[in-house]
Amino acid sequence: MRRIHGGDVYSLGREVLDLSVNLNPMGPPREALEVLSRELEGLVTRYPDLECRTSTRAIARYLGLPEECVTVSNGASMAIQLCLMALRPRRVLTLEPTFTEYRLCAEALGIGSLPLPSLDRDRGLVPDPEAIWSALEEGDALFVCNPNNPTGNEVERGTLLEIAELCRRKGAHLVVDECFLELSTSGEGGSLKEEAAGGAAVVIRAMTKSFAAPGLRIGYVVSSPDLAARLRELRHPWPLNNLAEAFAQRALIGAEEYLSRARALIRANRERLILGISKAGGKPYPSDCNFVLFYFPGNVDLRGELLKRDVLIRSCADFLGLGEGHYRVAVAREEEVDLFLRALEGISVSS
């Protein structure tokens, strides 16, 4: 299975408005960028810390958890790989449609996967505890993306706790990907980070989306201390460079206010985006975070048509359970949302 992700502006050879990746529309915290600029020479010429102590300490303080429960990784993709290597499930269960890396990483490690169709057209991704209970006879690790990519909706915390209990009773592992949670409606209120620290689940996060820093590849896992020790044994040396460590340390100071302002901006622009897509003939799914999945009917390659207008969105045809006509667009700044909607207005659903 070929990897397809947003953000592939490199193959285009020109500048476009990239709404195929879902980053915090506020951009990175200015103070963190200033630290990198001011200390650049030292950060480049000094060897990184093998154990990433600076970022581990900063992340643990930000989460309000012990340092021994945090394992830093080179982005969320490495975190997924580390979890699979440490847990060694015989088969991975995924609620589809969802982030494809769970299945791809499992496949690369020789681990089987079992997709569970979980799409509700009116509500997005809706886990079925009864179906999960039955599937846990065949798989012993369940990956849940919350909020889910690409549907954008949150899974209720009560449902996640119910699923965690099902996994416990079956002797299975629950891995929750919270990479978009800090930008979602619930924010930290929907997290299972404390349950993960206590061993009832495993949580994967990254600063890629929430802090608009995809180029630095700052990911981490929250888990029990015992599992964290195993993850660190499996992790390759120097998972973060000095720029990433310095950015994480500064960006997480005062992060609550920064993320609160981001959520307010996202909420306002998301409503405008959903309304505009609907007016253009699209059918948006409900979203709780910083992107919107929608269906655009008719015989039209919407991604291709928008590219002619220098706007890039994510085709979701490769996600299980979606197919042609499904697209994902980031909730960006107001002026960028306007550019997208103006480009969309000129495209007919019957083209």
Side-chain angles (χ1 to χ4, degrees), residues 141 150 162 212 258 275 289 328 347:
E162 181 182 357
Y258 163 78
L275 180 61
C289 63
R328 191 192 67 201
I347 302 171

Side-chain angles (χ1 to χ4, degrees), residues 54 73 82 106 165 176 197 235 247 277-278 284 288 312 341 350-351:
T54 297
S73 64
L82 286 173
E165 175 60 16
V176 184
R235 182 178 65 184
F247 180 91
I277 291 171
S278 298
D288 296 307
L312 177 63
L341 293 177
S350 60
S351 296

Side-chain angles (χ1 to χ4, degrees), residues 144-345:
V144 179
C145 192
N146 186 42
N148 185 53
N149 176 16
T151 59
N153 68 298
E154 290 185 59
V155 179
E156 292 183 1
R157 177 175 162 78
T159 301
L160 285 173
L161 292 175
E162 181 182 357
I163 293 171
E165 175 60 16
L166 295 179
C167 289
R168 185 195 67 79
R169 288 163 57 188
K170 287 284 192 178
H173 304 285
L174 172 62
V175 183
V176 184
D177 181 342
E178 295 184 352
C179 282
F180 291 102
L181 190 66
E182 291 151 302
L183 299 178
S184 73
T185 302
S186 294
E188 291 293 343
S191 177
L192 290 196
K193 62 184 181 182
E194 293 182 1
E195 287 77 8
V202 179
V203 163
I204 292 173
R205 285 197 186 181
M207 296 181 69
T208 298
K209 312 300 194 306
S210 299
F211 293 84
L216 293 177
R217 313 305 304 149
I218 307 169
Y220 57 94
V221 180
V222 180
S223 69
S224 68
D226 287 346
L227 179 57
R230 177 61 178 152
L231 292 169
R232 293 189 194 106
E233 288 176 358
L234 294 168
R235 182 178 65 184
H236 69 63
W238 303 291
L240 294 188
N241 61 45
N242 285 332
L243 279 78
E245 283 250 270
F247 180 91
Q249 181 184 34
R250 185 60 187 87
L252 291 171
I253 297 173
E256 293 82 1
E257 181 185 356
Y258 163 78
L259 292 170
S260 177
R261 288 189 287 121
R263 285 191 292 270
L265 175 64
I266 289 164
R267 185 165 53 249
N269 289 350
R270 183 175 62 225
E271 293 307 311
R272 295 178 61 252
L273 185 60
I274 288 174
L275 180 61
I277 291 171
S278 298
K279 285 183 176 180
K283 299 178 180 179
Y285 285 70
S287 174
D288 296 307
C289 63
N290 61 320
F291 56 87
V292 174
L293 173 70
F294 66 99
Y295 177 69
F296 200 73
N299 185 27
V300 57
D301 172 15
L302 185 62
R303 181 182 181 276
E305 290 298 319
L306 287 171
L307 260 182
K308 295 176 184 177
R309 296 158 173 81
D310 293 328
V311 176
L312 177 63
I313 63 172
R314 171 73 155 91
S315 168
C316 293
D318 61 307
F319 286 92
L320 293 179
L322 292 182
E324 297 295 337
H326 286 87
Y327 302 91
R328 191 192 67 201
V329 59
V331 178
R333 296 192 300 271
E334 183 175 350
E335 61 272 21
E336 293 172 328
V337 170
D338 288 342
L339 283 171
F340 165 74
L341 293 177
R342 283 199 296 271
L344 189 62
E345 286 174 1

Side-chain angles (χ1 to χ4, degrees), residues 12-30:
L12 300 177
R14 69 181 195 276
E15 290 291 322
V16 296
L17 172 60
D18 186 7
L19 300 180
S20 69
V21 291
N22 315 303
L23 306 179
N24 186 331
M26 290 180 57
R30 185 58 47 188

